[in-house]
Amino acid sequence: MPEPTTVSDPVDVLMVEDQEALASSTVEYLTLSGVSAAYVSSAEEAHAALASRKPKLVILDVNLPGLSGFEFCRRLRRERGDIPIVFVSARTAEDDQILALSLGGDDYIAKPYSLAVLLAKIRRMLDRLSSSGPPEPAVYDDGWLLLDPGSARVRVGGRDVSLAALEFKLLEHLVANRGRVVEKRELFRQVWGGAVTGDGTLSVHIRRLRTRIERDPDRPRYIRTVWGRGYIFEEPA
């Protein structure tokens, strides 16, 4: 049984949630699973807890008293641009999810949520943060799309597909960071190496990539646009 944390102990996860029963049960589950966690009930309390508890990740409700989760996310991105933010909300409209991601959220989970799924997502993000270096290139294969960085091989629907060098680097970076929004400036830096380019060039490469890997390029399943921010690679359900 893990030792309970005090109000000043550092934690892996800070949950900002005004439903005390839900917050308490979530924090208890995470703690028993080896992920130290604490919760506060408002954005104002969260602001103070960020300094004292130094969390590595924030779970953020949308409907909070006072400052909303959306507004707090905006503020947090200005002050702590690197901290992962996982939204949890009973609001399931697509517009709310897109807004959350465009403001800087890394994921959006609808209530009621599975504690096991939430834990898996959190562990994945924490593992990425604790990695001492770039991850080893791993083969991605979901049955339709196969990407093997080691051999620079791409197969779609069982057939080899030839990609231009920049298209391959773009796909490789999106797949390696699947499940999170990859901002345009990151793609410019990691794919183009900081060379002068623009949104138009990126859009053209994304469109070409979609025609090669998507079943329906006009209704992309893998590479989704997050307007005003960048793109997210999503694995098939």
Side-chain angles (χ1 to χ4, degrees):
M1 177 73 69
E3 292 294 326
T5 62
T6 70
V7 293
S8 60
D9 285 338
V11 291
D12 294 321
V13 176
L14 177 68
M15 184 172 194
V16 190
E17 170 63 69
D18 64 335
Q19 297 181 45
E20 185 174 354
L22 176 62
S24 178
S25 62
T26 300
V27 164
E28 180 180 16
Y29 181 86
L30 293 177
T31 302
L32 290 172
S33 301
V35 177
S36 60
Y39 73 89
V40 292
S41 59
S42 70
E44 288 73 17
E45 291 178 74
H47 194 268
L50 284 167
S52 63
R53 314 212 65 162
K54 299 178 175 58
K56 301 173 184 175
L57 181 148
V58 172
I59 302 174
L60 183 58
D61 187 22
V62 173
N63 295 325
L64 294 171
L67 198 68
S68 74
F70 290 144
E71 288 301 321
F72 183 63
C73 177
R74 194 194 306 272
R75 174 189 294 181
L76 193 53
R77 275 289 166 256
R78 289 197 300 265
E79 299 174 356
R80 289 278 304 275
D82 58 339
I83 190 167
I85 300 172
V86 178
F87 277 95
V88 292
S89 178
R91 295 164 62 164
T92 58
E94 187 176 83
D95 287 348
D96 289 319
Q97 298 180 48
I98 292 173
L99 177 59
L101 295 174
S102 68
L103 290 173
D106 294 275
D107 206 340
Y108 191 103
I109 302 175
K111 296 178 181 178
Y113 50 79
S114 160
L115 287 171
V117 170
L118 178 64
L119 174 64
K121 288 176 176 284
I122 288 172
R123 278 179 169 163
R124 180 175 175 181
M125 291 184 184
L126 292 176
D127 286 345
R128 185 182 294 132
L129 289 173
S130 63
S131 175
S132 59
E136 290 295 320
V139 175
Y140 174 85
D141 186 1
D142 62 26
W144 171 261
L145 173 64
L146 179 146
L147 171 68
D148 184 352
S151 63
R153 182 188 186 194
V154 177
R155 286 178 65 84
V156 178
R159 302 178 62 180
D160 286 326
V161 173
S162 178
L163 298 181
L166 279 174
E167 292 170 356
F168 185 89
K169 287 183 67 177
L170 181 58
L171 178 61
E172 182 182 11
H173 191 76
L174 289 171
V175 170
N177 293 276
R178 57 190 176 273
R180 81 171 176 89
V181 179
V182 181
E183 296 190 357
K184 295 178 182 179
R185 63 175 177 268
E186 178 180 334
L187 292 173
F188 296 151
R189 183 176 65 252
Q190 297 295 332
V191 178
W192 275 266
V196 177
T197 187
D199 289 4
T201 299
L202 176 57
S203 296
V204 168
H205 280 80
I206 290 289
R207 185 161 58 249
R208 288 176 179 169
L209 195 52
R210 283 171 172 161
T211 64
R212 287 160 171 75
I213 70 169
E214 299 281 2
R215 295 175 188 267
D216 182 356
D218 293 326
R219 301 180 65 184
R221 173 62 187 86
Y222 286 112
I223 303 174
R224 187 163 63 84
T225 302
V226 180
W227 297 108
R229 183 142 181 238
Y231 300 91
I232 182 170
F233 185 96
E234 295 184 330
E235 299 180 70

